[in-house]
Amino acid sequence: MTIAHTLVYSFAARGLRHLSVLRLPLRCVALGVAAVAVGSCSNINCPIQTAVSIRYSLRQATGYAGESRQDTLAAGDTLWVWTRRADGRDTLLLNRGMRLSSFALPVSSSHPEDILVFHFADTISRSTDTLWIKKDDQPHFENVDCQAIFFHTITAVRSTHNRIDTVVVNTPDVTFDTEPTHLYLFLHERQ
């Protein structure tokens, strides 16, 4: 082996060793850049609860003007609630509600008016009422990465009067807030 070969071999070996020494800091820098990039990404904070529901309360008139108190379906009374979906099929929203004083049902975002069918049954009789709820839909924006959500404002309510006596709008704005009661349902006394 000549001196030239020895120098080239020595330089090559030392250069590779030198490069492997440089690889460790480069790896650390690359990991650091990746950590900063991941840490600087925006935190997508989409709401977990995306269903918007109307809260109903069964009420009983007290006899005083404008006053009422909480009521409960009597023992043996059962309530079912249906609606029609966008594809035209019926869907059950509340199945066999018993001893209810309040309940929440989802609101559609594809119809300007929701039509709900309330079916009451007890040991003696059965009755069905239809409830129409007109509403204005307002798109609600949280984040571009989140699904579309609509809030609603109830503008009008009407019903048949077989078992439902009166429907009163208590809180017209329907949002994620599940606390307020939106509609009061006053029922006829059972015969």
Side-chain angles (χ1 to χ4, degrees), residues 15-145:
L16 288 175
R17 242 182 302 135
H18 181 67
L19 287 177
S20 68
V21 171
L22 286 178
R23 284 187 191 155
L24 182 60
L26 286 175
R27 286 182 185 157
C28 290
V29 168
L31 286 174
V33 168
V36 168
V38 169
S40 69
C41 290
S42 67
N43 184 6
I44 299 172
N45 196 12
C46 295
I48 296 171
Q49 172 69 4
T50 59
V52 177
S53 299
I54 291 179
R55 178 158 292 284
Y56 300 81
S57 176
L58 300 179
R59 306 297 286 184
Q60 183 179 36
T62 62
Y64 298 105
E67 291 186 17
S68 65
R69 67 172 184 249
Q70 189 80 33
D71 196 6
T72 304
L73 283 178
D77 284 357
T78 307
L79 172 63
W80 290 266
V81 181
W82 286 274
T83 191
R84 187 161 295 252
R85 296 186 341 189
D87 63 6
R89 294 186 294 166
D90 289 345
T91 187
L92 184 63
L93 297 176
L94 180 65
N95 188 22
R96 295 184 188 190
M98 302 174 85
R99 295 190 180 251
L100 293 176
S101 57
S102 68
F103 53 94
L105 300 174
V107 184
S108 75
S109 57
S110 59
H111 301 294
E113 182 177 56
D114 285 355
I115 302 171
L116 304 173
V117 177
F118 287 73
H119 182 75
F120 298 90
D122 59 40
T123 55
I124 301 169
S125 65
R126 297 174 186 273
S127 59
T128 301
D129 277 304
T130 303
L131 178 66
W132 292 268
I133 303 169
K134 285 191 177 192
K135 59 194 174 37
D136 291 333
D137 302 330
Q138 298 96 25
H140 176 70
F141 178 77
E142 292 271 337
N143 189 324
V144 294
D145 296 325

Side-chain angles (χ1 to χ4, degrees), residues 132-184:
W132 292 268
I133 303 169
K134 285 191 177 192
K135 59 194 174 37
D136 291 333
D137 302 330
Q138 298 96 25
H140 176 70
F141 178 77
E142 292 271 337
N143 189 324
V144 294
D145 296 325
C146 301
Q147 72 182 30
I149 299 167
F150 286 89
F151 286 170
H152 312 277
T153 301
I154 299 171
T155 57
V157 176
R158 65 186 172 96
S159 73
T160 57
H161 300 288
N162 297 313
R163 183 73 193 273
I164 296 175
D165 179 38
T166 310
V167 180
V168 175
V169 177
N170 180 52
T171 307
D173 295 325
V174 183
T175 64
F176 288 140
D177 190 3
T178 58
E179 287 300 314
T181 299
H182 301 99
L183 297 179
Y184 289 156

